[in-house]
Amino acid sequence: KELQLEFVEVHKQHESTSSTGRRPLSEIFQTTKQLKAIKQNLLKKLEREKSQKKMNETFQHVLEIANKIRQAQEDEIRLAEQKGEQIQSMAIANRRLKQVRNVYDI
């Protein structure tokens, strides 16, 4: 009799702890399914971020090239202006030379 009472008491304790500590199997499967979906979404987001980073790096490279092209164009314009100024100075010098030659009939 005493053993029966002890068994009943132990059984009650077991039932109370197991019912509060365990979740139904269907709930575990549902949670697992949700976690897998979350994992897939995070993997997709990670791939998008990697792709975005690569596009940013490519954009930076293109931006650097465009900057170098712009600098080269500005240098070309500056050199063309200097060439024009030198041609004009040379023309003025040639006219003066002609004038001096005419004056001295050289």
Side-chain angles (χ1 to χ4, degrees):
K1 186 115 180 147
E2 201 175 298
L3 289 175
Q4 281 181 332
L5 290 174
E6 187 179 337
F7 173 78
V8 169
E9 187 63 33
V10 170
H11 186 66
K12 285 181 184 178
Q13 287 176 354
H14 176 69
E15 286 294 318
S16 68
T17 57
S18 66
S19 67
T20 59
R22 292 188 180 175
R23 295 187 296 171
L25 198 54
S26 62
E27 186 179 328
I28 292 172
F29 285 134
Q30 182 65 27
T31 303
T32 303
K33 188 177 178 180
Q34 289 172 344
L35 289 173
K36 285 181 181 180
I38 290 171
K39 179 183 174 183
Q40 288 300 318
N41 287 337
L42 289 173
L43 288 174
K44 287 178 185 176
K45 185 174 183 178
L46 181 62
E47 285 302 315
R48 282 194 307 268
E49 291 295 326
K50 284 181 182 178
S51 175
Q52 185 67 30
K53 182 180 181 226
K54 187 171 180 100
M55 285 191 301
N56 283 341
E57 289 171 354
T58 302
F59 177 74
Q60 287 300 321
H61 182 67
V62 169
L63 194 60
E64 288 173 16
I65 291 171
N67 191 30
K68 287 178 182 179
I69 290 172
R70 182 189 51 77
Q71 287 176 346
Q73 289 171 338
E74 288 175 356
D75 289 345
E76 187 178 352
I77 291 169
R78 184 178 43 79
L79 291 172
E81 289 173 351
Q82 286 178 352
K83 180 182 176 184
E85 290 171 1
Q86 288 176 352
I87 290 172
Q88 188 178 15
S89 295
M90 195 164 138
I92 291 171
N94 283 334
R95 277 191 296 242
R96 285 187 185 157
L97 180 62
K98 268 186 175 180
Q99 288 173 351
V100 169
R101 283 184 179 168
N102 287 340
V103 168
Y104 291 108
D105 277 332
I106 300 178

